[in-house]
Each structure stands twice: as structure tokens, then as C-alpha cells.
Amino acid sequence: MTKYSKVPFSEIATLIRGVSYDKKVASVLAKDGYIPVLRANNIQKSLVLADLVYVPSDLVKEEQMIRKGDIVLAMSSGSKDLVGKSAQANNDINAAFGTFCGLIRAKDNIDSKFLGLYFQTQEYRNFVSYQSQGVNICNLKKKDIESLQIPLPPLPTQSAIVSRIETLFAELDKATEHLRTAQQQLKTYRQAVLNHWLNNEDGKWEMVPIKEIISVISNGSTPKADKMFSKGEIQFLKVYNLNFDGSINLSKEPVFIERDTHETLLKRSQTKQGDVLINIVGPPLGKVSIIPEGEKEYNINQAIVMFRPNEFVTSKFLAYYLMSPQIIEWLTSTSKATAGQYNVKVSTCREIMFPKVSIQEQQRRVKEIESRLSQATASETYIENALQQAEALRQSILKKAFEGELV
């Protein structure tokens, strides 16, 4: 139980909703007289000023410009992980925020950093999970944020809490940075292994468009919202269910469709065990997953392409080949980039140059790859667990701070 009194949001801050700008006047390139507009995807641990959209400055109101201390929220997103996510501006930013975002501006008697930390707490995330409901799009309403009751100590205590948290977080960030570096080194090693065992540098392999070997290469489609549910028999897979290592994450934000939809409207995008899936919308590109063995049935959306192995291709060889650096680089180079989003055509996927090698040779190369990646996979698991522990510690620090136990 917190020893700080909870105060209505309206007494300590204001929430400003983002506005929609006409796509006809927007630009993906910076121009004189244009202002960048942040979208929900730009909200990470900090505000990421990349892959922006620009609009004429005379369309942007002064209150929409981001100032030092402002907290930018993702108010609407197709991802439950993104909706409600917040990041705070460390300085005035020559940028506005778009229609799927909101901006929280602390009042003069509030330490804006203290308020920003509240919007990183698990208590707030639990609130978001409860309030933002939806299968396709999750939304937070302005009235939802304004209904918050926030623990508020006196201003000097707010500043002391911020100082203490910043010290503890700095130590935690340093440890996390080392873990991230090791994680990146393992990713580089993984790519090097795949490149070595799947590259045709010596020209020994006959290369042909993959459509000449695999006949079933297609993407899915998305039914209307009223055809998708949070529970059901047939799981409907989206890009966030795919991983970068051939595995699949079936527990992340599961969405389901009815069997009738699966067997009629979405019959073309039914999957079978052993099918290899790759995302064609990014960033990032390069997510590759294999449908696991078992009796469960799945369906896929339009941002995923399905390759169905046959007597000439094994699932694992195909999956490793699709996640190899040369294929990801080629798909990226041939994709259409719009407003920071990469889109690969299904027809492009059918033109991927693929080696005509025997099943025995495929199995041999898979064995070589997996023997070298087994230790890397174990290390990646260890690092991922350590990062989760670091995040748990971060939340523990925040919890103590807002319950009056940190200073």
C-alpha cells in the first residue's frame, strides 16, 4: 500500500491527442518548411527520430510540438505490446505527433521526470491491458488516461525519487548494454554460420527460382474484425508470432477464427505442419518460422508468405536458407519502402533463387548448421533470461518508488 496520496490525473497534467494530417500533403522525405510527425512505432524506450513522415509546418499547431519533459503515448496500435507505450522527451524536439499518439504535459508544480516514470510502471501497464481491448486494433481513449489516479509525494520528494531511480537505472543500463552487445555478437555469429553453409560462392549448386521447386507459395489475408476472436479453435497467425530462428511464438497475443472461416473464406491460407513462414512486411524483415508437428491447424494473415516443402525440399533447410543474410538482403533490396515500412511482393518471394541439391545434402548441411548453432542458442536463451530479470528488477525499483519505499 502506497503511503503517497493518489491524485487525479487532471490535477497534475493535461493530455493532448494527436491529429490526422492529409496523406496527400505528407512526405517520407524531409523538406524545407516541413515538420516531422512521430507515429506510435517511434515510441521505444526513448523517442526514435527515424522513419518519419513530414507535413507542412503551417498545418501543425503550437501545442502539437514536443517540448522537453513531454511524455508521448501510443494511443492506438495493432500490437498490444505497443499500445500505451510511453517515452519522454529529454529536450525540445522540432517534431509533432500523429493521430495514433497522445502527449502528456505535466503542470508547473510537478516534476515531469517523476510523472514520466509513472508511465513506465507495471501498475500503469496493467491499467493499459485492462482498458485497451480489441482484436485488430487496441485503443486507449483520452478519458481512460484522464481517469488515472497517480501517487504523488511532495515536489522535493518527487525530485529525490527521480535522482535515486536515475542512479539505479544507470547501473542497470550498463549491465543490460553488455548483454545486448553479447546478443548482437551471437546474432552476427549465427548469420556467419548460415552464410558459410548456405552460400553458393563456389558455384557448385545449380540455382533456380524457388517456384520451380516449390509449387505452394502464397500469403494469407485478413478477415473483417467480427470474424476474429480472442479465443477459439483455429489460431490466426500474425507477424508478431514469427521468430528469427525458425521457432514460432503461439502464446503472444493469440487471435482465433472460426472453422467455417478457416475452411471457406481463408481456405487458401491454411497451413500444414512443416510449412515455412516468412514475413513480407517490416521492418524488420527476416522472421522465419516452421509450423510445428501436431494436429493443430493454423491460418495466416496477408503479411506472411507460406512455403510448403515437398519431396525435394526439407522444412529445416528451407527455413535456414530463407533466414540467411543473402536472402534477407535481397528481399530488402527488392522491397517497396513506404513511410518507413518495407513491403515485399508474393511474386518476389517466388523468384528467390534456390539451390537444386539432394535431400541428403540438405540434411547434411542442416546438421552442420545446428551443431554450430546449438551453443549459440543456449547462450541466447541465457541472455534473454538475464534481460527479463533486468526488466523485472527495473519494475521492482519503480514499484518501491511509487509505494514510498525507495527514499
Side-chain angles (χ1 to χ4, degrees):
M1 179 67 70
T2 179
K3 69 178 184 181
Y4 302 136
S5 299
K6 289 195 171 186
V7 178
F9 173 90
S10 59
E11 292 185 15
I12 60 178
T14 56
L15 174 64
I16 305 168
R17 280 304 310 255
V19 297
S20 177
Y21 297 98
D22 191 339
K23 291 182 179 179
K24 294 179 181 178
V25 301
S27 170
V28 295
L29 300 175
K31 297 180 180 181
D32 290 340
Y34 276 61
I35 294 290
V37 177
L38 274 67
R39 296 166 294 174
N41 286 337
N42 296 109
I43 303 173
Q44 303 299 325
K45 285 191 175 180
S46 58
L47 295 175
V48 179
L49 304 181
D51 296 325
L52 299 166
V53 173
Y54 301 82
V55 299
S57 57
D58 59 0
L59 298 180
V60 181
K61 296 180 180 179
E62 178 61 31
E63 70 170 8
Q64 297 287 324
M65 297 298 292
I66 301 172
R67 305 172 190 168
K68 180 179 180 180
D70 285 347
I71 303 156
V72 184
L73 290 182
M75 302 288 288
S76 182
S77 173
S79 169
K80 293 179 182 177
D81 288 339
L82 183 54
V83 69
K85 199 166 188 178
S86 71
Q88 192 160 31
N90 295 323
N91 300 287
D92 290 349
I93 299 176
N94 185 37
F97 54 101
T99 185
F100 296 127
C101 298
L103 183 142
I104 294 172
R105 187 163 287 158
K107 295 188 176 180
D108 291 340
N109 61 334
I110 303 298
D111 188 313
S112 61
K113 286 187 176 181
F114 176 84
L115 184 60
L117 287 169
Y118 176 79
F119 285 91
Q120 301 293 328
T121 63
Q122 189 60 49
E123 177 181 274
Y124 165 69
R125 292 302 309 176
N126 292 342
F127 168 83
V128 169
S129 296
Y130 178 77
Q131 293 291 344
S132 59
Q133 302 296 323
V135 176
N136 283 326
I137 299 294
C138 303
N139 295 288
L140 269 180
K141 298 177 182 178
K142 188 171 186 283
K143 66 178 183 179
D144 294 334
I145 299 299
E146 291 175 339
S147 72
L148 283 167
Q149 299 280 323
I150 299 174
L152 191 71
L155 184 58
T157 306
Q158 294 175 38
S159 300
I161 288 172
V162 168
S163 179
R164 180 61 177 150
I165 288 178
E166 287 181 338
T167 298
L168 294 172
F169 277 12
E171 297 172 0
L172 198 55
D173 288 342
K174 187 180 294 185
T176 301
E177 184 180 350
H178 289 310
L179 290 169
R180 295 288 186 196
T181 299
Q183 195 174 49
Q184 184 58 46
Q185 290 170 340
L186 287 169
K187 180 180 178 181
T188 301
Y189 172 73
R190 178 181 289 276
Q191 291 174 335
V193 170
L194 293 175
N195 189 61
H196 176 77
W197 288 98
L198 298 172
N199 202 317
N200 193 31
E201 287 182 354
D202 55 10
K204 291 182 179 179
W205 290 345
E206 179 186 355
M207 306 294 291
V208 298
I210 196 169
K211 65 184 179 184
E212 295 185 14
I213 301 176
I214 296 177
S215 59
V216 181
I217 302 174
S218 62
N219 68 326
S221 59
T222 298
K224 293 181 180 179
D226 62 0
K227 297 289 186 181
M228 291 187 284
F229 310 93
S230 58
K231 295 181 180 180
E233 182 182 0
I234 310 297
Q235 188 164 352
F236 184 70
L237 303 177
K238 299 185 179 184
V239 171
Y240 57 67
N241 296 118
L242 307 188
N243 291 328
F244 290 96
D245 60 359
S247 64
I248 193 165
N249 187 346
L250 298 174
S251 62
K252 184 173 182 179
E253 302 180 27
V255 175
F256 298 86
I257 57 175
E258 293 179 336
R259 176 163 292 281
D260 181 65
T261 303
H262 178 64
E263 295 180 346
T264 55
L265 182 65
L266 300 183
K267 184 177 181 179
R268 183 177 63 86
S269 50
Q270 295 176 2
T271 68
K272 295 182 178 181
Q273 64 181 36
D275 283 350
V276 178
L277 312 179
I278 185 170
N279 67 310
I280 54 172
V281 176
L285 295 175
K287 287 190 165 189
V288 178
S289 298
I290 301 173
I291 295 295
E293 294 182 1
E295 297 181 359
K296 288 192 68 175
E297 299 174 76
Y298 305 95
N299 212 295
I300 58 174
N301 76 354
Q302 75 281 0
I304 298 173
V305 165
M306 169 183 62
F307 294 78
R308 180 155 294 156
N310 51 33
E311 66 269 28
F312 304 110
V313 182
T314 69
S315 296
K316 283 190 175 182
F317 183 84
L318 174 59
Y320 282 131
Y321 190 81
L322 292 177
M323 68 178 77
S324 63
Q326 67 266 24
I327 297 302
I328 302 307
E329 289 170 9
W330 184 78
L331 288 175
T332 302
S333 69
T334 56
S335 66
K336 181 180 179 181
T338 304
Q341 179 172 287
Y342 297 107
N343 294 276
V344 179
K345 295 180 179 179
V346 180
S347 58
T348 300
C349 293
R350 296 188 179 112
E351 298 300 326
I352 292 172
M353 298 304 289
F354 193 81
K356 291 182 71 175
V357 295
S358 68
I359 292 293
Q360 291 76 17
E361 179 64 11
Q362 292 178 40
Q363 292 171 337
R364 185 182 77 83
R365 297 211 171 225
V366 167
K367 184 177 180 180
E368 294 286 359
I369 290 169
E370 292 186 339
S371 69
R372 287 160 176 79
L373 293 185
S374 59
Q375 185 58 50
T377 300
S379 297
E380 286 169 339
T381 300
Y382 172 82
I383 290 172
E384 189 59 41
N385 289 338
L387 288 170
Q388 290 175 6
Q389 290 171 4
E391 181 57 30
L393 179 56
R394 190 181 301 271
Q395 285 300 322
S396 175
I397 291 169
L398 289 171
K399 186 173 185 292
K400 288 181 178 180
F402 284 91
E403 289 182 349
E405 298 177 6
L406 195 63
V407 297

